[in-house]
Amino acid sequence: MGLCSLLFLVVGVVPLALAGGHDYGAALSKSILFFEAQRSGYLPGNQRVKWRGNSGLYDGKANGVDLVGGYYDAGDNVKFGLPMAFTVTMMSWSILEYGNQMGATGELAHAMDAVKWGTDYLIKAHPQPHVLYGEVGDGNTDHYCWQRPEDMTTSRYAYRVDQNNPGSDLAGETAAAMAAASIVFRHANPAYSRELLTHAGQLFDFADKYRGKYDSSITVAQKYYRSVSGYADELLWAAAWMYKATNNEYYLEYLGENGDALGGTGWAMTEFGWDVKYAGVQTLVAKFLMGGKAGSHAPVFGKYQEKAESFMCSCLGKSSQNVQKTPGGLIYKQRWNNLQFVTSASFLLTVYSDYLTSARRDLHCSSGPVAPAELLAFAKSQVDYILGDNPRATSYMVGYGNNYPQQVHHRGSSIVSVKVDPSFVSCRGGYATWFSRKASDPNLLTGAIVGGPDAYDNFADHRDNYEQTEPATYNNAPLLGILARLHGGQGGYNQLLPVEVHVAKPIAAQPKPNPVKETPFAAPVDIEQKPTTSWVANGKTYYRYSAIVTNKSGKTIKNLNLSVSKLYGPLWGLTKSPSGSYGFPTWVSSLPAGKSMEFVYIHAASPAQVSLSSYTLA
């Protein structure tokens, strides 16, 4: 690697270093709001995305069933059952792990509304124990047109699986969604929770008894949501969620007895998403094991956990089979909607970090033990990249930050709202007038996570660049939990204990931190340093170090001065004074109690010596 390459690497990390911290609470609010833009059916009176109108009001009529409602999966107007169910499962899991943190931001009720909008539809889609509707509309006719959902003229025929045309993956994922959601509503709406659990049990039995891939029965889905992994992972996934929802030993035994045959103990994965569920199953089963629930199945559950930890290690780059990353540090699997894999993997890293913390143990990778905090730090780095800490300084969440995608590949967002201009937009006319329009979208798709950058951190903000600018519900769903966790902290919760989602009265703001009793010997700040990446240039190994400064004093710190010695390279995120000490960057004037700030530096040596020189308490 030559000097020019080294300079490119150094410059490439500048936006990361200059980040002044993200408002995870605002990002959480926006990410939930996106689901309201994706609603199909009759919109409620409390609908907050005002540019949307009612749509799909005759869905299911041609089939003699009511399928009004649910979510459009992405930028088109089809309702695909498999990704919709996975979206509901992941939103529910987010709430179950971090619902208390959501409550502290006032967003728990909105998150639960988002889940219920999905489960209300899934109940309709399951009119009989062995019948499940898995798609309304089809991608071929839908993609031929560019219309607002309110103007749809495309086919709304519905497709189903049944005992003669099975779909174990679809039924299994829908069972998982219903089971997970039943826990969410257990205390807030007990009757609804029981209804969901009844459907979940029936769907699990249907999936297990009548086995087959759903896209062999609903062939129109193959081009868009082909079940490449088959249905074995969904059977285990559904069983895990059924056990969480019921504590019925039958499902625990199912996981123990079928782990080998269905791949749960054998597959070491490097991805998790709407198709491949193994890493999610393995994470849940590891939680059961660490929570003391495995019983006689502990040896088998230990094999699940080995594979869960293999996934975590691969994401961290500490395995023999690591995930690919962009030069900017983003997990990379494919060009088309890569961020779906980033948010899903980051969610698993986040919850597993908390599971390990609760169990008071470390992650075991081939390179050695890894502290739980390192998993959370990496998940945070992925979220921060999405929110703008990347080489392009671009936020891939629409409406967050100052530089985000303006030409989203999304029919409703890109066409003038029916509330502004109710004139009918025709099938092909939408392409001519709106799709080809080289201007910002008339409707802001707030909170949407688009497909994201390519393998080299490049991104082209063009409406026809669907691989990078199209959003999807399953991009956002796992992000809800991570954002709540990053905003609200761990809060001392033991993630291995039974879940309780408190919904009585959401608190408008977080409680103030308890004052820290200061003594003359109590350090007001904590400084934690760690290397985040390294590379070799001209025979030298260069390290990028991240330093986190946390205010432990209980009061706001002003006029901070740090001494940084044995530094042999560039530093970003602090301002150097004429005296040689380092203070706050220009965009920061104080550090509130309990808050942290980050600076980074690069040099070919061990960590610099950083210490506190002076400060004042406000």
PDB file of all heavy atoms in Angstrom, residues 419-438:
ATOM      1  N   LYS A 419     -53.840  13.996  -1.553  1.00  0.00           N
ATOM      2  CA  LYS A 419     -54.473  15.070  -0.764  1.00  0.00           C
ATOM      3  C   LYS A 419     -54.210  16.444  -1.392  1.00  0.00           C
ATOM      4  O   LYS A 419     -54.988  17.378  -1.217  1.00  0.00           O
ATOM      5  CB  LYS A 419     -53.912  15.053   0.668  1.00  0.00           C
ATOM      6  CG  LYS A 419     -54.013  13.729   1.396  1.00  0.00           C
ATOM      7  CD  LYS A 419     -55.424  13.457   1.873  1.00  0.00           C
ATOM      8  CE  LYS A 419     -55.481  12.212   2.753  1.00  0.00           C
ATOM      9  NZ  LYS A 419     -54.780  12.361   4.030  1.00  0.00           N
ATOM     10  N   VAL A 420     -53.112  16.550  -2.128  1.00  0.00           N
ATOM     11  CA  VAL A 420     -52.740  17.812  -2.778  1.00  0.00           C
ATOM     12  C   VAL A 420     -53.334  17.899  -4.173  1.00  0.00           C
ATOM     13  O   VAL A 420     -53.871  18.929  -4.579  1.00  0.00           O
ATOM     14  CB  VAL A 420     -51.203  17.951  -2.839  1.00  0.00           C
ATOM     15  CG1 VAL A 420     -50.804  19.183  -3.637  1.00  0.00           C
ATOM     16  CG2 VAL A 420     -50.625  18.003  -1.436  1.00  0.00           C
ATOM     17  N   ASP A 421     -53.224  16.805  -4.927  1.00  0.00           N
ATOM     18  CA  ASP A 421     -53.759  16.755  -6.286  1.00  0.00           C
ATOM     19  C   ASP A 421     -54.414  15.391  -6.491  1.00  0.00           C
ATOM     20  O   ASP A 421     -53.742  14.394  -6.758  1.00  0.00           O
ATOM     21  CB  ASP A 421     -52.637  16.967  -7.309  1.00  0.00           C
ATOM     22  CG  ASP A 421     -53.162  17.004  -8.741  1.00  0.00           C
ATOM     23  OD1 ASP A 421     -54.377  16.790  -8.943  1.00  0.00           O
ATOM     24  OD2 ASP A 421     -52.352  17.238  -9.661  1.00  0.00           O
ATOM     25  N   PRO A 422     -55.737  15.334  -6.382  1.00  0.00           N
ATOM     26  CA  PRO A 422     -56.433  14.056  -6.497  1.00  0.00           C
ATOM     27  C   PRO A 422     -56.574  13.546  -7.929  1.00  0.00           C
ATOM     28  O   PRO A 422     -57.148  12.469  -8.143  1.00  0.00           O
ATOM     29  CB  PRO A 422     -57.807  14.346  -5.889  1.00  0.00           C
ATOM     30  CG  PRO A 422     -58.018  15.806  -6.129  1.00  0.00           C
ATOM     31  CD  PRO A 422     -56.660  16.438  -6.041  1.00  0.00           C
ATOM     32  N   SER A 423     -56.020  14.259  -8.893  1.00  0.00           N
ATOM     33  CA  SER A 423     -56.122  13.815 -10.282  1.00  0.00           C
ATOM     34  C   SER A 423     -55.496  12.429 -10.430  1.00  0.00           C
ATOM     35  O   SER A 423     -54.405  12.164  -9.918  1.00  0.00           O
ATOM     36  CB  SER A 423     -55.393  14.792 -11.217  1.00  0.00           C
ATOM     37  OG  SER A 423     -55.924  16.095 -11.079  1.00  0.00           O
ATOM     38  N   PHE A 424     -56.189  11.563 -11.140  1.00  0.00           N
ATOM     39  CA  PHE A 424     -55.763  10.174 -11.301  1.00  0.00           C
ATOM     40  C   PHE A 424     -54.401  10.089 -11.996  1.00  0.00           C
ATOM     41  O   PHE A 424     -54.144  10.766 -12.991  1.00  0.00           O
ATOM     42  CB  PHE A 424     -56.811   9.413 -12.119  1.00  0.00           C
ATOM     43  CG  PHE A 424     -56.440   7.987 -12.421  1.00  0.00           C
ATOM     44  CD1 PHE A 424     -56.438   7.033 -11.413  1.00  0.00           C
ATOM     45  CD2 PHE A 424     -56.087   7.597 -13.707  1.00  0.00           C
ATOM     46  CE1 PHE A 424     -56.097   5.712 -11.698  1.00  0.00           C
ATOM     47  CE2 PHE A 424     -55.739   6.288 -13.997  1.00  0.00           C
ATOM     48  CZ  PHE A 424     -55.756   5.340 -12.988  1.00  0.00           C
ATOM     49  N   VAL A 425     -53.527   9.278 -11.446  1.00  0.00           N
ATOM     50  CA  VAL A 425     -52.228   9.007 -12.060  1.00  0.00           C
ATOM     51  C   VAL A 425     -52.315   7.620 -12.684  1.00  0.00           C
ATOM     52  O   VAL A 425     -52.500   6.626 -11.984  1.00  0.00           O
ATOM     53  CB  VAL A 425     -51.090   9.063 -11.028  1.00  0.00           C
ATOM     54  CG1 VAL A 425     -49.761   8.680 -11.664  1.00  0.00           C
ATOM     55  CG2 VAL A 425     -50.996  10.454 -10.401  1.00  0.00           C
ATOM     56  N   SER A 426     -52.159   7.548 -14.001  1.00  0.00           N
ATOM     57  CA  SER A 426     -52.333   6.274 -14.703  1.00  0.00           C
ATOM     58  C   SER A 426     -51.111   5.376 -14.544  1.00  0.00           C
ATOM     59  O   SER A 426     -50.046   5.812 -14.121  1.00  0.00           O
ATOM     60  CB  SER A 426     -52.595   6.526 -16.185  1.00  0.00           C
ATOM     61  OG  SER A 426     -51.442   7.065 -16.809  1.00  0.00           O
ATOM     62  N   CYS A 427     -51.291   4.137 -14.938  1.00  0.00           N
ATOM     63  CA  CYS A 427     -50.252   3.117 -14.815  1.00  0.00           C
ATOM     64  C   CYS A 427     -48.936   3.553 -15.443  1.00  0.00           C
ATOM     65  O   CYS A 427     -47.900   3.631 -14.777  1.00  0.00           O
ATOM     66  CB  CYS A 427     -50.758   1.826 -15.454  1.00  0.00           C
ATOM     67  SG  CYS A 427     -49.508   0.552 -15.700  1.00  0.00           S
ATOM     68  N   ARG A 428     -48.942   3.836 -16.725  1.00  0.00           N
ATOM     69  CA  ARG A 428     -47.719   4.225 -17.427  1.00  0.00           C
ATOM     70  C   ARG A 428     -47.449   5.720 -17.330  1.00  0.00           C
ATOM     71  O   ARG A 428     -46.301   6.159 -17.436  1.00  0.00           O
ATOM     72  CB  ARG A 428     -47.793   3.801 -18.900  1.00  0.00           C
ATOM     73  CG  ARG A 428     -48.000   2.310 -19.111  1.00  0.00           C
ATOM     74  CD  ARG A 428     -46.892   1.475 -18.486  1.00  0.00           C
ATOM     75  NE  ARG A 428     -45.616   1.650 -19.171  1.00  0.00           N
ATOM     76  CZ  ARG A 428     -44.476   1.100 -18.758  1.00  0.00           C
ATOM     77  NH1 ARG A 428     -44.443   0.380 -17.642  1.00  0.00           N
ATOM     78  NH2 ARG A 428     -43.355   1.283 -19.440  1.00  0.00           N
ATOM     79  N   GLY A 429     -48.518   6.484 -17.103  1.00  0.00           N
ATOM     80  CA  GLY A 429     -48.347   7.927 -16.952  1.00  0.00           C
ATOM     81  C   GLY A 429     -47.486   8.276 -15.753  1.00  0.00           C
ATOM     82  O   GLY A 429     -46.745   9.267 -15.760  1.00  0.00           O
ATOM     83  N   GLY A 430     -47.567   7.453 -14.711  1.00  0.00           N
ATOM     84  CA  GLY A 430     -46.737   7.683 -13.530  1.00  0.00           C
ATOM     85  C   GLY A 430     -45.260   7.593 -13.840  1.00  0.00           C
ATOM     86  O   GLY A 430     -44.445   8.359 -13.310  1.00  0.00           O
ATOM     87  N   TYR A 431     -44.890   6.679 -14.730  1.00  0.00           N
ATOM     88  CA  TYR A 431     -43.491   6.567 -15.137  1.00  0.00           C
ATOM     89  C   TYR A 431     -43.058   7.822 -15.904  1.00  0.00           C
ATOM     90  O   TYR A 431     -41.986   8.380 -15.660  1.00  0.00           O
ATOM     91  CB  TYR A 431     -43.287   5.328 -16.013  1.00  0.00           C
ATOM     92  CG  TYR A 431     -42.977   4.068 -15.237  1.00  0.00           C
ATOM     93  CD1 TYR A 431     -43.899   3.021 -15.171  1.00  0.00           C
ATOM     94  CD2 TYR A 431     -41.764   3.921 -14.581  1.00  0.00           C
ATOM     95  CE1 TYR A 431     -43.608   1.858 -14.464  1.00  0.00           C
ATOM     96  CE2 TYR A 431     -41.463   2.769 -13.876  1.00  0.00           C
ATOM     97  CZ  TYR A 431     -42.395   1.737 -13.820  1.00  0.00           C
ATOM     98  OH  TYR A 431     -42.104   0.593 -13.114  1.00  0.00           O
ATOM     99  N   ALA A 432     -43.914   8.243 -16.831  1.00  0.00           N
ATOM    100  CA  ALA A 432     -43.554   9.373 -17.685  1.00  0.00           C
ATOM    101  C   ALA A 432     -43.453  10.676 -16.894  1.00  0.00           C
ATOM    102  O   ALA A 432     -42.538  11.488 -17.112  1.00  0.00           O
ATOM    103  CB  ALA A 432     -44.574   9.518 -18.814  1.00  0.00           C
ATOM    104  N   THR A 433     -44.390  10.869 -15.959  1.00  0.00           N
ATOM    105  CA  THR A 433     -44.466  12.154 -15.258  1.00  0.00           C
ATOM    106  C   THR A 433     -43.640  12.192 -13.980  1.00  0.00           C
ATOM    107  O   THR A 433     -42.973  13.192 -13.696  1.00  0.00           O
ATOM    108  CB  THR A 433     -45.931  12.491 -14.919  1.00  0.00           C
ATOM    109  OG1 THR A 433     -46.701  12.471 -16.120  1.00  0.00           O
ATOM    110  CG2 THR A 433     -46.041  13.861 -14.262  1.00  0.00           C
ATOM    111  N   TRP A 434     -43.665  11.122 -13.223  1.00  0.00           N
ATOM    112  CA  TRP A 434     -43.103  11.157 -11.878  1.00  0.00           C
ATOM    113  C   TRP A 434     -41.833  10.328 -11.708  1.00  0.00           C
ATOM    114  O   TRP A 434     -40.873  10.782 -11.075  1.00  0.00           O
ATOM    115  CB  TRP A 434     -44.155  10.713 -10.860  1.00  0.00           C
ATOM    116  CG  TRP A 434     -45.318  11.646 -10.821  1.00  0.00           C
ATOM    117  CD1 TRP A 434     -46.553  11.475 -11.400  1.00  0.00           C
ATOM    118  CD2 TRP A 434     -45.353  12.933 -10.202  1.00  0.00           C
ATOM    119  NE1 TRP A 434     -47.347  12.573 -11.178  1.00  0.00           N
ATOM    120  CE2 TRP A 434     -46.634  13.486 -10.440  1.00  0.00           C
ATOM    121  CE3 TRP A 434     -44.431  13.682  -9.469  1.00  0.00           C
ATOM    122  CZ2 TRP A 434     -47.007  14.728  -9.963  1.00  0.00           C
ATOM    123  CZ3 TRP A 434     -44.795  14.932  -8.992  1.00  0.00           C
ATOM    124  CH2 TRP A 434     -46.075  15.452  -9.251  1.00  0.00           C
ATOM    125  N   PHE A 435     -41.808   9.127 -12.226  1.00  0.00           N
ATOM    126  CA  PHE A 435     -40.635   8.270 -12.054  1.00  0.00           C
ATOM    127  C   PHE A 435     -39.396   8.891 -12.694  1.00  0.00           C
ATOM    128  O   PHE A 435     -38.302   8.878 -12.123  1.00  0.00           O
ATOM    129  CB  PHE A 435     -40.892   6.887 -12.659  1.00  0.00           C
ATOM    130  CG  PHE A 435     -39.717   5.948 -12.576  1.00  0.00           C
ATOM    131  CD1 PHE A 435     -39.430   5.288 -11.394  1.00  0.00           C
ATOM    132  CD2 PHE A 435     -38.900   5.715 -13.675  1.00  0.00           C
ATOM    133  CE1 PHE A 435     -38.349   4.423 -11.310  1.00  0.00           C
ATOM    134  CE2 PHE A 435     -37.816   4.856 -13.603  1.00  0.00           C
ATOM    135  CZ  PHE A 435     -37.544   4.202 -12.407  1.00  0.00           C
ATOM    136  N   SER A 436     -39.580   9.455 -13.885  1.00  0.00           N
ATOM    137  CA  SER A 436     -38.443  10.012 -14.635  1.00  0.00           C
ATOM    138  C   SER A 436     -38.089  11.430 -14.207  1.00  0.00           C
ATOM    139  O   SER A 436     -37.138  12.015 -14.725  1.00  0.00           O
ATOM    140  CB  SER A 436     -38.755   9.990 -16.131  1.00  0.00           C
ATOM    141  OG  SER A 436     -39.930  10.752 -16.396  1.00  0.00           O
ATOM    142  N   ARG A 437     -38.818  11.984 -13.281  1.00  0.00           N
ATOM    143  CA  ARG A 437     -38.615  13.356 -12.829  1.00  0.00           C
ATOM    144  C   ARG A 437     -37.309  13.474 -12.029  1.00  0.00           C
ATOM    145  O   ARG A 437     -37.119  12.791 -11.043  1.00  0.00           O
ATOM    146  CB  ARG A 437     -39.810  13.768 -11.967  1.00  0.00           C
ATOM    147  CG  ARG A 437     -39.823  15.184 -11.428  1.00  0.00           C
ATOM    148  CD  ARG A 437     -41.190  15.431 -10.785  1.00  0.00           C
ATOM    149  NE  ARG A 437     -41.213  16.668 -10.013  1.00  0.00           N
ATOM    150  CZ  ARG A 437     -41.022  16.721  -8.701  1.00  0.00           C
ATOM    151  NH1 ARG A 437     -40.780  15.615  -8.026  1.00  0.00           N
ATOM    152  NH2 ARG A 437     -41.057  17.876  -8.060  1.00  0.00           N
ATOM    153  N   LYS A 438     -36.405  14.319 -12.462  1.00  0.00           N
ATOM    154  CA  LYS A 438     -35.104  14.478 -11.803  1.00  0.00           C
ATOM    155  C   LYS A 438     -35.189  15.565 -10.738  1.00  0.00           C
ATOM    156  O   LYS A 438     -34.583  16.627 -10.816  1.00  0.00           O
ATOM    157  CB  LYS A 438     -34.019  14.824 -12.827  1.00  0.00           C
ATOM    158  CG  LYS A 438     -33.910  13.844 -13.978  1.00  0.00           C
ATOM    159  CD  LYS A 438     -33.594  12.426 -13.516  1.00  0.00           C
ATOM    160  CE  LYS A 438     -33.461  11.463 -14.682  1.00  0.00           C
ATOM    161  NZ  LYS A 438     -33.286  10.067 -14.223  1.00  0.00           N
TER     162      LYS A 438
END
